[in-house]
Amino acid sequence: MAQIFTKIGYRFLLGTIFLTASQTFSQIDPAVSNRLNGFMRENCTTTFNEISSTPVENILKYKVFHIVQETQNMYGEKKKNINEFIVIDTGQKVASFEHVQANTSLPELTNYIREDFILDQESAHEFQSLLDYIYPIEDWKPDHREYFQKNGKWYFLRDAYFRTKQGFEVTVDIQGRITDICYKMKWNGSESK
């Protein structure tokens, strides 16, 4: 029995030494860290621009930002790599908008909508414009934007894939307040215009 406890104690001690040693050796020297940070400052730039538009201000509770991150001179190449992001600042955290895939429920986007916003015939164009800001259509995709209301729901079509319409389905209550938003990859015949 004592031999079992000795083996367990020995393994525990070796594990502790291994974890401590790996953490000690993995820390980066401050001089190296400064050089790495300098390299990043020289070769990477990040800009933040607020998207200040009437649709964003009238529909969303929070501010929206467009972030552009440029990286250059990597691997001796002169071209720039550009990454772009659309984010929302909730006052507590900065978050990206939910990624749309197949049929995707968008509860966070639904929660970002102002309580006093009413979706109706007059404001539907403004809502379509908001979608253009926060979920822009890729340049290479054909533009199939249209919107309509049917059976108590609004449909904001964005794309088509093999003749199947894709876009946002927005459920509203009797007053026109948005209660649910989802992205649909395929529309039922009864949902089409």
Side-chain angles (χ1 to χ4, degrees):
M1 188 74 143
Q3 191 175 17
I4 293 173
F5 287 120
T6 304
K7 283 185 178 179
I8 292 173
Y10 178 71
R11 288 184 179 162
F12 177 76
L13 181 62
L14 279 177
T16 304
I17 291 170
F18 176 74
L19 287 174
T20 306
S22 66
Q23 288 178 353
T24 303
F25 293 123
S26 69
Q27 293 180 359
I28 297 176
D29 181 285
V32 173
S33 181
N34 286 338
R35 287 192 302 272
L36 291 170
N37 286 330
F39 176 82
M40 294 302 290
R41 279 190 302 274
E42 290 171 11
N43 296 293
C44 300
T45 58
T46 304
T47 57
F48 310 93
N49 295 310
E50 182 180 349
I51 298 175
S52 55
S53 71
T54 303
V56 171
E57 293 170 8
N58 289 346
I59 300 172
L60 297 177
K61 298 176 191 175
Y62 310 110
K63 294 183 179 198
V64 176
F65 293 87
H66 179 233
I67 300 174
V68 177
Q69 184 181 51
E70 294 181 6
T71 308
Q72 61 188 8
N73 297 330
M74 292 293 164
Y75 308 108
E77 297 177 7
K78 295 298 180 193
K79 69 177 186 175
K80 290 182 181 181
N81 292 324
I82 299 174
N83 295 308
E84 297 184 63
F85 313 93
I86 306 294
V87 297
I88 189 163
D89 180 8
T90 67
Q92 301 292 330
K93 66 176 185 168
V94 173
S96 57
F97 286 92
E98 295 152 299
H99 182 67
V100 293
Q101 295 177 349
N103 293 337
T104 307
S105 181
L106 302 169
E108 291 177 22
L109 177 58
T110 304
N111 288 331
Y112 296 152
I113 305 293
R114 294 169 52 120
E115 289 84 8
D116 62 347
F117 176 72
I118 304 296
L119 182 57
D120 56 19
Q121 290 292 342
E122 294 174 13
S123 64
H125 179 71
E126 191 172 43
F127 192 81
Q128 177 81 299
S129 296
L130 172 70
L131 292 175
D132 290 340
Y133 285 117
I134 62 176
Y135 290 104
I137 298 172
E138 301 285 342
D139 291 338
W140 58 271
K141 288 187 176 183
D143 187 347
H144 291 280
R145 285 181 295 172
E146 64 174 298
Y147 59 87
F148 58 91
Q149 182 183 24
K150 187 169 185 179
N151 299 330
K153 295 183 179 185
W154 281 90
Y155 298 92
F156 293 86
L157 306 183
R158 311 288 286 168
D159 197 1
Y161 184 70
F162 290 112
R163 298 183 188 173
T164 301
K165 296 177 180 178
Q166 301 173 357
F168 295 88
E169 177 184 75
V170 181
T171 306
V172 294
D173 64 13
I174 295 171
Q175 290 83 26
R177 289 188 198 95
I178 295 175
T179 59
D180 186 56
I181 303 173
C182 68
Y183 189 84
K184 295 183 79 174
M185 293 291 281
K186 189 171 185 178
W187 302 82
N188 297 327
S190 62
E191 295 170 330
S192 296
K193 191 160 116 176

